[in-house]
Amino acid sequence: MRRSLVVGNWKMMGSRAGVTKLLEELKGYLVASDRASIAICPPYVFLPQVSEDLRESGLRWGSQNLSQYDEGAFTGEVSASMLKDFGCDYTIVGHSERRSLFGEGDADVAAKFVAAQSARLTPILCVGESLQQRDSGDALEWVKQQIIAVVDVAGIDAFADAVVAYEPIWAIGTGKTATPEQAQQVHAHIRGVIASLHPGVADSLRILYGGSVKADNASELFANPDIDGALVGGASLIAADFAAICRAAE
Ligand code: PEP
């Protein structure tokens, strides 16, 4: 039985005052549960505040990105060990915004995945197709290639301590959600790809869905056997909505 996971990706949103308020509200709505893990990924600069405020809450936190390098002259970068130092459990790698806006390719994503695990952070590896790829029937093969690019570098055993997030690009921040059937099809495919290499790892791998998850569509997504939770963007900035999604995952 896989434990559900709901992760909030705050993206580049917020202010010190806004974060204080949102964390207070979240702590009011959410209590730690045996059935679902909950984490938020704020912008780097808010990690000290988040790690302090959520210390006793049972809620966890992570980053939206990390450097593939350990230390050195890499201006503007943040390493996995620095994130661990601030209590992060998770880090998102390969979000489609990083791939499309900041030019991260599969090799960068794989290097970041490995760097995360070397500091005992759990990478949340994002994969997903564009609308054009979906329309031309290439979605399943594309997602498989994105997974294999990381398996080739990190090894299949590394997926025992990782999370995969299926995020169709056309559904991110657009208000268009994949139907539960579309999402389940890709999730089952991802699990099948991993199972063909290591059935045990596939059984325990948590595969999250991301793409306009809201309080009113979360339950029907989570009802599917291969959907183990969600990576939530916009709705994670509204405490009541994020809490409702977390409850649906329990
Ligand atoms: C995301 O940023 O990973 C995401 C899924 O965003 P949204 O929920 O806003 O579509």
Side-chain angles (χ1 to χ4, degrees):
M1 182 69 180
R2 295 180 293 270
R3 185 181 160 91
S4 310
L5 172 64
V6 179
V7 180
N9 173 13
W10 288 2
K11 309 200 187 199
M12 198 175 73
M13 309 280 192
S15 62
R16 271 215 292 205
V19 167
T20 302
K21 183 165 172 280
L22 182 52
L23 291 174
E24 270 318 301
E25 289 173 358
L26 280 177
K27 284 189 287 183
Y29 279 114
L30 290 169
V31 284
S33 141
D34 287 342
R35 284 173 293 169
S37 304
I38 300 166
I40 54 162
C41 296
Y44 290 134
V45 290
F46 298 128
L47 281 170
Q49 188 180 352
V50 166
S51 62
E52 195 52 40
D53 280 18
L54 295 186
R55 202 155 32 124
E56 309 286 336
S57 68
L59 309 181
R60 305 303 307 167
W61 55 93
S63 67
Q64 301 170 15
N65 184 27
L66 81 165
S67 173
Q68 64 198 77
Y69 304 109
D70 292 340
E71 190 175 56
F74 300 106
T75 301
E77 293 289 279
V78 174
S79 73
S81 61
M82 292 171 187
L83 297 168
K84 196 69 191 173
D85 209 14
F86 280 88
C88 288
D89 285 332
Y90 301 97
T91 180
I92 299 171
V93 296
H95 191 282
S96 63
E97 288 155 14
R98 302 278 341 152
R99 293 181 191 255
S100 67
L101 302 174
F102 300 98
E104 290 186 12
D106 281 338
D108 304 299
V109 173
K112 289 181 180 210
F113 184 103
V114 170
Q117 289 193 327
S118 69
R120 285 174 291 105
L121 294 173
T122 299
I124 301 172
L125 169 64
C126 298
V127 296
E129 80 286 0
S130 65
L131 190 56
Q132 195 193 356
Q133 287 169 319
R134 170 153 288 269
D135 287 346
S136 51
D138 295 331
L140 296 181
E141 185 55 28
W142 176 255
V143 164
K144 177 179 174 181
Q145 292 313 321
Q146 288 183 311
I147 300 273
I148 295 299
V150 178
V151 172
D152 282 347
V153 174
I156 189 62
D157 290 347
F159 280 72
D161 297 312
V163 172
V164 171
Y166 168 56
E167 297 210 310
I169 297 169
W170 48 272
I172 297 178
T174 58
K176 279 189 208 147
T177 318
T179 65
E181 295 73 24
Q182 286 172 322
Q184 167 58 27
Q185 183 198 27
V186 181
H187 282 229
H189 175 68
I190 292 169
R191 204 176 302 287
V193 168
I194 300 289
S196 68
L197 300 167
H198 194 314
V201 168
D203 270 354
S204 60
L205 179 68
R206 288 184 291 184
I207 306 175
L208 314 183
Y209 170 77
S212 299
V213 177
K214 307 276 180 238
D216 61 8
N217 60 23
S219 297
E220 55 177 9
L221 287 161
F222 298 157
N224 290 274
D226 290 296
I227 301 181
D228 304 311
L231 180 53
V232 185
S236 70
L237 294 163
I238 302 163
D241 290 1
F242 187 61
I245 295 167
C246 295
R247 271 189 227 108
E250 286 184 347

